[in-house]
Amino acid sequence: MKAKLYHLLEHRASECRYFVIPLWRGSGYTTMFVQVQTPHMVFTGLEDYKARGTQAAPYFTVSFYTEFAESKDLVLIRGDVVFTSKLTDSEAKWLLEAAQSFYLNDARYKLVERFNRQTHDFEFKDVLQVLDMPIL
């Protein structure tokens, strides 16, 4: 990714570290909990996070490498699916793209801010609508 986008992600994640993203599966979705603490992004199932808190095992981890940010305007990204029984590679790729879209798109980032700052005003159905998923 371009260094400028990474720096925006880094800035926004420092203010709003958590978010929830629905992952569509068949006729429904699984809600994933995202924690961003640059240079890392960790995804786990929301139900696992609710049950185990910070002890919940990650399903998918992402690391950002900034060594070429200044010289080549490039930040490398590596994603590792930790629980292959819980997440496929294509689902992990989609989750990373969705998470980046919520942190890097101004309109979508308002939902991230609401989730972190005005929790009582956050509506999960708004996330579903942005992602064109049905409200179940």
Side-chain angles (χ1 to χ4, degrees), residues 26-100:
S27 60
Y29 54 82
T30 300
T31 305
M32 301 299 291
F33 182 74
V34 186
Q35 179 178 346
V36 187
Q37 189 166 3
T38 54
H40 305 288
M41 190 178 280
V42 179
F43 298 80
T44 194
L46 181 61
E47 294 307 315
D48 283 351
Y49 185 80
K50 283 180 180 178
R52 296 179 187 83
T54 57
Q55 301 302 311
Y59 292 11
F60 174 46
T61 61
V62 176
S63 299
F64 296 90
Y65 297 91
T66 58
E67 289 80 1
F68 298 116
E70 286 191 29
S71 63
K72 306 234 186 272
D73 188 35
L74 198 61
V75 173
L76 301 178
I77 305 168
R78 176 189 171 131
D80 293 292
V81 176
V82 179
F83 262 124
T84 53
S85 63
K86 302 261 189 186
L87 206 60
T88 67
D89 287 349
S90 60
E91 289 172 331
K93 181 179 184 282
W94 184 88
L95 279 171
L96 175 58
E97 290 169 355
Q100 287 179 321

